[in-house]
Amino acid sequence: MGYTGSWVWEVHSGMPVYWSAEMCRIHGRDMVQGLPSVEECRAFYRPEDWSRWLAAVQKCAQDRTELVLDCQLETGRSSVKYVRISG
């Protein structure tokens, strides 16, 4: 079963500007906490996945192409979730 969370990342500022309720659920975050900081976003990913994510976002913005990336999220609940990020 798949779940789809939606998000908006402001490429020029490098900040999240929107997370859907499902995005929060996928990441184990309560919506009342508001948007995560960049540091909080980084903590969801393994270092190598965060680097790949940043590179993919930059390439997507520069080349105006789609972003598709498979990675693992560390939710802080001693579990790992495998996700596909697309945009």
Side-chain angles (χ1 to χ4, degrees):
M1 180 183 290
Y3 299 93
T4 303
S6 59
W7 50 274
V8 176
W9 186 272
E10 208 317 297
V11 176
H12 299 290
S13 70
M15 300 289 298
V17 294
Y18 169 78
W19 269 35
S20 68
E22 187 64 21
M23 187 74 164
C24 289
R25 192 199 63 72
I26 290 167
H27 287 78
R29 185 175 178 81
D30 191 325
M31 282 196 72
V32 299
Q33 292 175 280
L35 292 170
S37 67
V38 173
E39 292 78 23
E40 288 171 310
C41 288
R42 184 178 304 142
F44 292 128
Y45 298 90
R46 294 176 166 190
E48 62 272 15
D49 284 341
W50 178 254
S51 296
R52 288 183 329 111
W53 186 88
L54 284 176
V57 167
Q58 290 169 350
K59 180 170 177 38
C60 175
Q62 177 182 336
D63 298 346
R64 297 181 185 258
T65 58
E66 68 179 16
L67 176 145
V68 178
L69 180 68
D70 293 321
C71 61
Q72 299 175 41
L73 293 178
E74 298 181 0
T75 64
R77 299 181 195 157
S78 301
S79 68
V80 174
K81 292 181 181 178
Y82 295 87
V83 298
R84 171 163 282 168
I85 301 169
S86 61

